[in-house]
Amino acid sequence: MTDSSWSWAGLGPVGGALLTLSGVGLLLWGFLGRSDSSPSLIYQAAKVVAVGLVITGTTLLARRRDRDH
């Protein structure tokens, strides 16, 4: 893997999937009202899910492109 200035880049698809799942868990926690700060928790959890999906998608896409060439 190349050295990147983006610190999340080294997680790979498994790390991205785990990040997505943990974000979904936080979203459920916030939607079910288990936390006093639900609006901010939901916002932060949505960002975690988005980052996880981007990491997973870009890593898998890069692997597919490398395989095609």
Side-chain angles (χ1 to χ4, degrees):
M1 181 154 265
T2 61
D3 186 26
S4 177
S5 61
W6 194 46
S7 63
W8 294 93
L11 288 177
V14 174
L18 290 174
L19 199 60
T20 303
L21 288 175
S22 64
V24 169
L26 280 173
L27 278 172
L28 290 174
W29 185 267
F31 281 134
L32 294 176
R34 303 289 185 206
S35 174
D36 292 338
S37 60
S38 287
S40 65
L41 178 69
I42 291 170
Y43 175 70
Q44 296 297 326
K47 291 194 314 185
V48 171
V49 170
V51 169
L53 289 173
V54 168
I55 291 170
T56 304
T58 55
T59 305
L60 293 175
L61 184 62
R63 286 185 181 181
R64 183 175 178 180
R65 285 185 181 173
D66 287 343
R67 189 177 52 192
D68 288 343
H69 290 297

